[in-house]
Amino acid sequence: MRISSKGCYALAALTEMALNEDTTPTAVATLAQRLDISKIYLEQVFGVLKKSGVLVATKGAQGGYALSRKPAKISAYDILHPIELGLFETPPPQPFLAVNNLVFEPINDSVTAFLKTVSLEDIAAEARSGEDGGMYFI
């Protein structure tokens, strides 16, 4: 899995939501301002996460996005999988197919298995306990 800036922003924004433990919807503009990232870019990321079921959206003046489940029930894989493609590009036919089958696919499978073990709550707890006061940078 190749983690792009969209994937990093998704992890950072959802970590911010988990850190605030806010059950009310959070506006994208608020998160974008807190993280100092583009609101439009974050809206695109949140659209994908809403479609995948990680986030729920509420319309209206008090609307915004909320986590669909408790942070302990959302894995890093749940967040990254809808946004990212595989770690490696799909190779052309032989001999690259053999390299893909014996090298790239096992690496991709290992990364996927690991991401499924890390919850959003784990990431938020690490951010809370960080030496820099819980700040994280992307």
Side-chain angles (χ1 to χ4, degrees):
M1 177 175 289
R2 181 178 170 270
I3 301 178
S4 66
S5 60
K6 279 187 179 182
C8 291
Y9 290 154
L11 286 169
L14 271 60
T15 299
E16 179 71 20
M17 292 171 77
L19 283 170
N20 290 318
E21 299 177 17
D22 199 356
T23 57
T24 61
T26 305
V28 173
T30 302
L31 284 170
Q33 184 177 15
R34 283 186 205 158
L35 298 171
D36 194 28
I37 59 178
S38 165
K39 176 185 168 245
I40 294 169
Y41 198 63
L42 193 57
E43 284 173 341
Q44 292 173 356
V45 170
F46 274 29
V48 173
L49 293 173
K50 178 184 171 254
K51 191 180 256 186
S52 73
V54 173
L55 293 174
V56 292
T58 305
K59 293 183 181 186
Q62 302 299 316
Y65 288 92
L67 300 173
S68 63
R69 303 181 295 278
K70 298 251 185 231
K73 300 289 185 188
I74 299 173
S75 71
Y77 179 81
D78 294 334
I79 298 166
L80 293 172
H81 177 68
I83 295 171
E84 305 294 352
L85 300 174
L87 182 60
F88 303 101
E89 298 295 320
T90 304
Q94 296 290 348
F96 297 105
L97 188 57
V99 172
N100 185 63
N101 292 342
L102 293 175
V103 179
F104 298 151
E105 280 301 314
I107 292 171
N108 201 51
D109 293 345
S110 294
V111 170
T112 297
F114 173 74
L115 290 173
K116 288 180 178 182
T117 69
V118 178
S119 74
L120 184 56
E121 180 57 39
D122 296 334
I123 299 168
E126 178 70 18
R128 279 186 204 101
S129 69
E131 290 181 1
D132 57 355
M135 295 296 294
Y136 48 90
F137 302 92
I138 50 176

